Amino acid sequence: MLLIVKSNIVSSLLVPRSNMFKEEWWLPANLTFSLSCCCDILQSEYGFIEANNRKIFTLVYPDSFDICLISKIGDADLYISNENPNPSYNPESYILHSATCGEDILHIHKKLKRPIYVSVFGYPSYKTTHFFLNIVSRESTEKDTLDLELLSSENKSSIFQTHWIIMLEYENQMFLDILHEDGLIISAKGLGIEKVFMNLLKIYCDPGNLIFVLKTNSDEESYFITELAKQNVVYLPKVISSENSISERENIYKEGGVLFISSRIIVVDLLKHRIPIKKVTGFLVYRAHKILESCQDGFALRLYRLENKTGFIKAFSSSPESFTRGFARVERVMKTLFLRSLYLWPRFQAIVNSSLDKWKPEVVELHIQLTPLMLELQTALLDLINYIIKEIKRINPILDTDEITVENALSKSFHKLLQIQLDPVWHQLSATTKQLLADLKILRHILLSLTQTDCIRFNNLLTSLRSTEYAQRSSGWVLLDSAETLFVTANKRLYNSKSEIDPEPNPKWQALDEILKEIRTSSHEPETVLILVNNIEICRQLKDYLIKSAKKMLVDLYKRFFGSKDQRIAIVTAHSEEEENINNCVTLSQQQDSTTGGVSFVECLQENIGSEPTVIIEPFKKENNILSLPKTLQTLKPHFIVMYDTDITAIRQIEVFQSTNTDFRITVYFPIYVGAVEEQAYLTTLRKERSAFEFLIEEKSSMIIPVEQDGKTADCPELLRDSGKSVLSEFHDTRKGGIPKTTNNSLIIVDMREFRSELPVLLHRRGIDIDPVTLQIGDYILSPDICVERKSISDLVGSLNSGRLYQQAVAMSRYYAKPILLIEFDQNKPFDLQGRYYLSKDISSMDITAKLQLLTLHFPKLKIVWSPSPYATAQLFQEIKASKPEPNSNTAVSVGLQDENCNNEKFNASIADFLSKLPGVTTQNIQSILNKAESLEQLLSYSQNELNEIFCNNSQTEQFYSALHDEFNNTEKQSAATKTNKTRGFRAINKNKK
């Protein structure tokens, strides 16, 4: 009987999966045709198919059977449907599928509607795939029957709704772009890039793959795993952390699947060859804009591309502004990621606009005026901020201060911008400049508190700064007229014209009351209102306001901060008990007050929401998790949202949620202060994001990307490991025909913590092998005698001030013959540390150079090496290592551990330290000496033979015994030294020479 009645080839219009494992690693040879050997083969078809094409078969066999697809050359995938004659990669086109790199086996129940349409898809990494398609007889089991029930026609639609994430048009396009070709996606904030990322994870959640995910935090990992579990994904991603042992990690790698992993662990495991690099399917990088800050991630991708030329790398970012800082930032990021394609998705793109404009939420803007006193406070604060910025520019004329403006000072990312700009030259700034920057941060916080907090807390914040101690420490802004206006006006908000306690309420509170009243009157059913705020402090504030009313809340706060001692104790105790009950959000139920006829609010649990209208107050980012709001929206499905504070990410997340859920319309209330800092900060954020995308669009149009930048060929310059080597140095003698040397790569032992820097990557590029271990002493071990402690400028200043560098110098000098202190500068900044080159005009301190001079006097063996950049350091290390013996990692790790054993309570720490400085005493024998001798007196009484039994080394025994028992002739030494000084300067005398 003919089972396969029709076959045809269909050119695939869908985007294929990325590269998978080769068959031989995951499918042992003895398992090939394992199913066929134990069952009856009803029919077998051999065929071949080109890449990205499908071959369709139609089966009419009435009984139960298995379909077994075996790829002999290349890789083929299996898709099955009983309704769609052309099943394809699209999840809605098939009911069963198998996409492994070995045997693809699917069971067809006899009750499943016939005919059965089978699609064999040719994997794109192979030009031609050769396969066997076997139809094998097998009776259905109880499990097969249960699986059939899930595939019944009445449940099919609900299955797809539950198992697949609904995406908008631009999200689908974003997904297809990154799936079709490796690249970097940069999207605007809040456009749902996490949904695209989750769909990719779902596709790759299969044991036949080995995918590593970088740059995610624990909250994001938990969110992705939870959401995938809701979609009934069988093979969920796993998280690899330091809690997993080495053997556990190796087993997890062999099991395959999607793995969330830290950059430090993956770099170490790649260098130690614990990961089968050639079998890795690909890498997913979630926060690509941070790839340059963390050199470990770039190093991991480099190690991956050196050995694996077929796997993929896909990167994502929702921070366009990060790619505009520095020279050719986006090009350097793409070069580090080994990517050639850049996908930009701004909010103003046509497809994004059309997707989000089809079903928009209804927005109600409420323009609120500041009170006269608040307006006066805002003017005074802006004057003070302007004064601070002018002072910074006056004292530091050489410093690039174009970005330090009053407008930029209002944005949330201002201090990140300052940190990036000033961190490399922080040591060159004067104490006055540093204090000005600290005062600028304080004034910005006060300015934001003006509109976000109540007048009582605002006045208490200013009172804490109005002290003699702070006035002496500050840059002097508290003595200006604007500061006096600030303090006096803030105090006026607490009292009326008769000097009675009458705190001024926040204007937004009244607007919130009106919004809640409008929602109650316009809605016929109890509604849940979601109020979004900036932080948990505002959650507490609004909770107290809604429960107590404005006047009672402000009077209680006044008693808490400015009342008598007994009042403060009572109020603070009650307030602390209330704060303990607030976790991440506040849930209030609205109840009709029978006495006043108004509405009262009572706190309740979110799980106990009943038939009454409910108000939920929640921060934009619960526990600083940016994915918390989409999860809340999906759970609550609120019809009314109040944007109490402004946040561009939250606004777009609401837009995306509304466009995805078209069965109801959301009304968003947007109360905002007119002519205030709040409005200006929001507009500045929008302007900066738009400018960033316009810059990236222009950069993309002019970028020249080499074909070999993806690292999939041997011509990629980023993967070369002979940087800095001379061509002639690779040959014995050019006159002998240039016979190449057969030498191994040099080895440097690197401390685990040093992988945060760029230096290990540069050393690896120079052909030097890296051995990552945990060192007790030093950062780099170049040879058995050479130990290097690397310090950046900021680390050097901190170590000198804390005294940590002194302890490190003591340890290096004790255990290594050639200790080195490496002081490394930033390659983007001047290579100088002299007083006359400081950026600030008023610099007068020479602390750094003075402390370094003392360090060289105390440790004559310690060599101080100055390096202008990590590139120069890598070249220096290569030259120092020339003709030096290679270090041993086991020995390097053990150095310093003996001290920890000696410093326990069993031995006297002072005696142990004294013994370690005597001749002949080493880290290997000091433990034996301390165990055998109970005191110094007993140790002095030992003969040389008895000491030799302890030391087990004749030369060490002789050195130790001579140091304790030989007499020292001071007169003879002094006369010899005098003669030497007269005749030979500082050279030592050889007594045997006549």
Side-chain angles (χ1 to χ4, degrees):
M1 176 180 178
L2 184 64
L3 305 178
I4 301 177
V5 297
K6 183 184 70 171
S7 70
N8 62 312
I9 298 177
V10 181
S11 178
S12 176
L13 301 178
L14 296 170
V15 182
R17 292 181 299 117
S18 298
N19 187 32
M20 304 298 177
F21 290 132
K22 292 183 180 179
E23 176 184 340
E24 52 267 22
W25 191 68
W26 291 99
L27 185 64
N30 59 352
L31 292 183
T32 307
F33 294 97
S34 58
L35 180 64
S36 305
C37 293
C38 59
C39 302
D40 295 331
I41 299 180
L42 300 175
Q43 186 166 340
S44 180
E45 287 287 323
Y46 170 78
F48 62 92
I49 191 170
E50 301 296 325
N52 288 335
N53 289 341
R54 301 195 314 272
K55 179 172 280 191
I56 308 296
F57 300 89
T58 304
L59 283 77
V60 294
Y61 185 64
D63 293 332
S64 299
F65 61 91
D66 283 335
I67 299 178
C68 179
L69 176 66
I70 302 172
S71 303
K72 298 306 296 178
I73 299 175
D75 184 19
D77 297 333
L78 194 59
Y79 301 92
I80 293 176
S81 175
N82 65 339
E83 294 181 356
N84 184 6
N86 294 302
S88 64
Y89 187 84
N90 191 333
E92 296 182 359
S93 68
Y94 61 82
I95 59 173
L96 294 171
H97 85 289
S98 178
T100 68
C101 296
E103 290 185 357
D104 294 300
I105 303 174
L106 293 173
H107 180 73
I108 306 300
H109 200 283
K110 63 182 179 181
K111 294 183 179 180
L112 194 62
K113 178 184 173 183
R114 265 44 173 187
I116 304 298
Y117 303 104
V118 179
S119 172
V120 179
F121 176 76
Y123 188 60
S125 292
Y126 302 93
K127 186 176 180 180
T128 304
T129 295
H130 295 256
F131 64 89
F132 285 98
L133 184 65
N134 297 328
I135 310 302
V136 183
S137 175
R138 183 171 74 84
E139 292 296 327
S140 301
T141 63
E142 184 178 352
K143 180 180 180 300
D144 296 329
T145 305
L146 292 174
D147 292 340
L148 176 66
E149 294 177 1
L150 291 176
L151 295 173
S152 60
S153 58
E154 61 268 21
N155 294 331
K156 182 178 175 182
S157 59
S158 62
I159 288 173
F160 285 120
Q161 289 177 3
T162 305
H163 290 191
W164 197 254
I165 307 169
I166 300 174
M167 294 195 296
L168 300 175
E169 183 182 359
Y170 77 89
E171 291 173 332
N172 273 316
Q173 187 60 47
M174 196 185 300
F175 173 76
L176 293 174
D177 285 345
I178 195 65
L179 190 63
H180 177 68
E181 186 176 358
D182 295 355
L184 168 63
I185 288 183
I186 304 176
S187 76
K189 296 180 185 295
L191 287 188
I193 197 173
E194 69 277 356
K195 197 183 298 184
V196 177
F197 193 80
M198 192 185 306
N199 275 324
L200 273 180
L201 293 180
K202 182 175 180 180
I203 288 176
Y204 295 126
C205 283
D206 190 280
N209 303 323
L210 181 55
I211 311 290
F212 291 105
V213 183
L214 303 177
K215 308 301 289 181
T216 54
N217 56 40
S218 57
D219 292 331
E220 292 161 347
E221 292 164 2
S222 176
Y223 173 80
F224 289 133
I225 293 174
T226 303
E227 291 299 316
L228 290 173
K230 291 179 181 177
Q231 301 168 43
N232 296 335
V233 174
V234 179
Y235 301 102
L236 291 174
K238 301 175 184 177
V239 179
I240 295 182
S241 64
S242 56
E243 297 177 0
N244 300 106
S245 63
I246 294 175
S247 59
E248 289 175 347
R249 296 204 301 267
E250 289 179 343
N251 291 331
I252 293 174
Y253 299 147
K254 291 179 180 179
E255 292 172 0
V258 176
L259 306 178
F260 293 103
I261 191 169
S262 67
S263 55
R264 184 184 64 84
I265 292 176
I266 193 170
V267 166
V268 172
D269 286 350
L270 285 172
L271 288 172
K272 294 288 188 179
H273 304 290
R274 296 169 186 152
I275 298 175
I277 303 180
K278 293 185 178 180
K279 311 302 179 182
V280 176
T281 310
F283 275 74
L284 299 175
V285 184
Y286 193 60
R287 287 189 178 85
H289 56 276
K290 293 187 176 182
I291 195 74
L292 295 181
E293 300 171 10
S294 176
C295 299
Q296 293 178 342
D297 300 290
F299 194 16
L301 295 176
R302 172 181 167 80
L303 294 172
Y304 164 63
R305 266 293 174 248
L306 277 170
E307 301 293 334
N308 190 316
K309 304 296 184 181
T310 58
F312 66 77
I313 298 175
K314 304 180 190 300
F316 302 81
S317 175
S318 58
S319 180
E321 296 177 30
S322 301
F323 293 92
T324 61
R325 299 164 188 157
F327 176 74
R329 175 93 175 183
V330 66
E331 293 183 23
R332 290 190 292 128
V333 168
M334 293 180 66
K335 189 179 293 185
T336 304
L337 292 168
F338 298 98
L339 295 175
R340 300 186 62 250
S341 299
L342 176 62
Y343 306 104
L344 301 177
W345 289 92
R347 175 61 180 84
F348 55 81
Q349 191 173 18
I351 187 173
V352 178
N353 278 331
S354 62
S355 299
L356 298 181
D357 289 348
K358 288 179 181 178
W359 194 263
K360 297 190 296 185
E362 182 182 349
V363 180
V364 180
E365 288 190 16
L366 286 83
H367 292 177
I368 304 171
Q369 298 291 336
L370 292 172
T371 65
L373 292 178
M374 293 177 70
L375 198 58
E376 190 175 352
L377 288 170
Q378 179 178 276
T379 304
L381 284 167
L382 290 174
D383 289 342
L384 293 172
I385 291 176
N386 187 42
Y387 162 77
I388 295 290
I389 291 175
K390 285 183 177 179
E391 281 295 297
I392 292 174
K393 293 183 177 182
R394 181 184 64 83
I395 296 176
N396 305 277
I398 305 177
L399 190 65
D400 183 13
T401 55
D402 293 340
E403 294 292 328
I404 305 178
T405 61
V406 176
E407 181 185 3
N408 288 338
L410 305 179
S411 64
K412 294 180 180 180
S413 60
F414 177 66
H415 286 286
K416 290 183 181 178
L417 180 66
L418 275 183
Q419 183 179 1
I420 293 173
Q421 187 171 354
L422 299 179
D423 184 62
V425 294
W426 188 255
H427 65 285
Q428 294 180 309
L429 301 177
S430 65
T432 304
T433 303
K434 294 177 182 178
Q435 185 59 49
L436 284 168
L437 293 170
D439 290 343
L440 182 60
K441 185 176 181 179
I442 291 173
L443 288 172
R444 182 181 178 276
H445 173 65
I446 296 173
L447 186 59
L448 295 177
S449 300
L450 175 62
T451 55
Q452 292 181 355
T453 190
D454 54 82
C455 61
I456 305 295
R457 288 188 175 91
F458 182 79
N459 191 68
N460 182 64
L461 175 61
L462 291 179
T463 303
S464 64
L465 299 175
R466 198 173 188 181
S467 62
T468 305
E469 180 184 357
Y470 179 76
Q472 293 175 349
R473 187 177 75 249
S474 70
S475 58
W477 67 267
V478 293
L479 305 177
L480 300 176
D481 294 339
S482 297
E484 184 65 22
T485 303
L486 180 67
F487 294 127
V488 172
T489 308
N491 201 52
K492 286 181 181 179
R493 298 181 70 197
L494 305 184
Y495 308 98
N496 56 21
S497 57
K498 298 180 181 179
S499 299
E500 297 173 344
I501 300 174
D502 187 18
E504 181 182 66
N506 194 319
K508 268 193 182 181
W509 295 346
Q510 185 179 357
L512 181 61
D513 271 342
E514 295 176 359
I515 291 171
L516 295 178
K517 183 178 179 181
E518 180 180 325
I519 294 172
R520 286 196 303 270
T521 55
S522 63
S523 179
H524 301 290
E525 297 179 359
E527 294 288 353
T528 298
V529 181
L530 178 62
I531 302 177
L532 298 175
V533 297
N534 262 334
N535 50 57
I536 195 64
E537 295 297 330
I538 303 179
C539 285
R540 297 191 183 104
Q541 177 196 122
L542 294 183
K543 171 204 164 188
D544 292 342
Y545 166 71
L546 292 174
I547 293 177
K548 298 180 181 179
S549 77
K551 186 171 183 180
K552 187 177 186 306
M553 182 192 76
L554 292 174
V555 170
D556 287 347
L557 285 174
Y558 182 86
K559 292 178 181 178
R560 176 187 174 188
F561 292 110
F562 304 108
S564 62
K565 183 177 180 180
D566 295 337
Q567 288 177 331
R568 289 200 301 269
I569 293 174
I571 296 294
V572 168
T573 304
H575 188 77
S576 61
E577 292 177 356
E578 292 175 1
E579 287 185 353
E580 289 179 358
N581 297 328
I582 297 180
N583 187 11
N584 293 320
C585 64
V586 177
T587 304
L588 305 174
S589 63
Q590 303 182 50
Q591 299 176 355
Q592 197 73 23
D593 194 339
S594 57
T595 58
T596 61
V599 176
S600 62
F601 292 87
V602 179
E603 188 173 7
C604 66
L605 297 176
Q606 198 171 116
E607 294 80 8
N608 299 332
I609 295 176
S611 58
E612 298 86 4
T614 308
V615 174
I616 298 177
I617 311 171
E618 184 176 298
F620 296 123
K621 304 174 186 177
K622 287 195 294 187
E623 297 181 351
N624 204 28
N625 182 10
I626 196 172
L627 300 177
S628 62
L629 182 55
K631 188 176 181 180
T632 300
L633 294 173
Q634 194 64 38
T635 303
L636 297 178
K637 297 188 182 300
H639 289 203
F640 298 95
I641 299 176
V642 180
M643 295 288 296
Y644 189 82
D645 294 312
T646 58
D647 186 84
I648 187 173
T649 304
I651 292 172
R652 288 173 181 164
Q653 286 173 339
I654 295 172
E655 280 187 298
V656 173
F657 176 76
Q658 175 68 94
S659 299
T660 307
N661 298 268
T662 57
D663 52 337
F664 65 93
R665 189 176 293 278
I666 302 174
T667 303
V668 180
Y669 292 90
F670 208 128
I672 188 169
Y673 289 109
V674 179
V677 169
E678 181 186 34
E679 182 184 22
Q680 183 60 43
Y682 175 69
L683 296 176
T684 300
T685 305
L686 286 175
R687 179 185 57 80
K688 281 192 168 185
E689 186 187 76
R690 186 179 185 89
S691 300
F693 270 113
E694 290 173 351
F695 171 80
L696 290 174
I697 292 170
E698 185 178 353
E699 283 285 302
K700 181 181 178 180
S701 64
S702 60
M703 274 196 306
I704 300 176
I705 302 176
V707 177
E708 65 274 5
Q709 183 167 300
D710 57 5
K712 295 184 178 181
T713 61
D715 300 329
C716 180
E718 293 297 312
L719 297 179
L720 296 179
R721 293 201 62 193
D722 56 353
S723 176
K725 290 184 179 180
S726 173
V727 176
L728 294 179
S729 65
E730 298 180 358
F731 302 101
H732 283 291
D733 190 350
T734 55
R735 296 183 180 181
K736 295 180 181 180
I739 301 174
K741 289 184 178 181
T742 57
T743 58
N744 296 325
N745 291 336
S746 299
L747 174 68
I748 291 181
I749 299 173
V750 183
D751 185 54
M752 294 280 197
R753 291 154 290 195
E754 279 298 303
F755 283 94
R756 300 188 186 99
S757 69
E758 193 179 1
L759 185 54
V761 186
L762 298 177
L763 292 173
H764 191 267
R765 281 185 179 181
R766 287 185 165 267
I768 301 174
D769 290 337
I770 304 297
D771 190 1
V773 297
T774 301
L775 297 176
Q776 301 296 323
I777 297 173
D779 294 328
Y780 297 85
I781 308 300
L782 307 187
S783 74
D785 296 331
I786 302 175
C787 173
V788 180
E789 179 71 29
R790 189 190 71 89
K791 296 289 182 185
S792 63
I793 297 302
S794 57
D795 192 17
L796 175 68
V797 175
S799 300
L800 286 171
N801 293 334
S802 65
R804 182 163 51 94
L805 184 56
Y806 179 84
Q807 301 297 332
Q808 292 170 335
V810 169
M812 286 196 299
S813 301
R814 178 180 301 175
Y815 294 106
Y816 290 94
K818 299 175 182 178
I820 296 175
L821 171 63
L822 172 70
I823 302 175
E824 189 177 86
F825 285 73
D826 188 342
Q827 65 266 25
N828 299 321
K829 300 299 175 182
F831 179 43
D832 57 66
L833 194 66
Q834 300 298 323
R836 61 193 178 95
Y837 293 119
Y838 276 83
L839 294 178
S840 304
K841 289 182 177 180
D842 59 341
I843 191 74
S844 59
S845 173
M846 294 291 290
D847 288 343
I848 300 177
T849 52
K851 290 177 181 178
L852 284 176
Q853 291 170 2
L854 289 175
L855 193 69
T856 55
L857 291 174
H858 280 82
F859 303 98
K861 285 202 313 181
L862 182 66
K863 312 299 182 188
I864 298 181
V865 178
W866 304 82
S867 174
S869 68
Y871 295 89
T873 304
Q875 181 181 356
L876 179 67
F877 280 8
Q878 191 176 33
E879 294 174 356
I880 291 176
K881 275 193 64 65
S883 304
K884 298 291 192 306
E886 300 298 339
N888 183 274
S889 58
N890 294 329
T891 305
V893 170
S894 63
V895 171
L897 291 177
Q898 293 85 353
D899 280 355
E900 295 182 4
N901 297 329
C902 296
N903 290 337
N904 56 25
E905 297 179 356
K906 182 179 178 181
F907 304 113
N908 188 322
S910 302
I911 297 300
D913 186 63
F914 169 74
L915 279 177
S916 65
K917 294 179 172 62
L918 294 177
V921 178
T922 64
T923 57
Q924 286 76 22
N925 57 32
I926 189 172
Q927 190 78 11
S928 178
I929 298 172
L930 292 171
N931 284 324
K932 295 293 178 63
E934 296 182 357
S935 63
L936 284 175
E937 184 179 0
Q938 182 180 359
L939 188 63
L940 290 169
S941 65
Y942 285 156
S943 64
Q944 188 168 347
N945 291 333
E946 290 173 330
L947 288 175
N948 194 35
E949 294 178 0
I950 299 175
F951 281 79
C952 299
N953 187 294
N954 292 330
S955 61
Q956 294 175 355
T957 303
E958 185 177 353
Q959 291 177 14
F960 184 78
Y961 188 83
S962 301
L964 293 181
H965 297 281
D966 287 0
E967 294 185 1
F968 179 72
N969 192 340
N970 192 32
T971 306
E972 181 181 352
K973 295 290 183 184
Q974 286 183 354
S975 62
T978 305
K979 285 184 179 181
T980 304
N981 292 337
K982 289 181 180 178
T983 57
R984 296 190 176 185
F986 293 103
R987 294 184 181 178
I989 286 182
N990 188 349
K991 293 183 179 181
N992 297 326
K993 186 176 180 179
K994 294 182 181 180

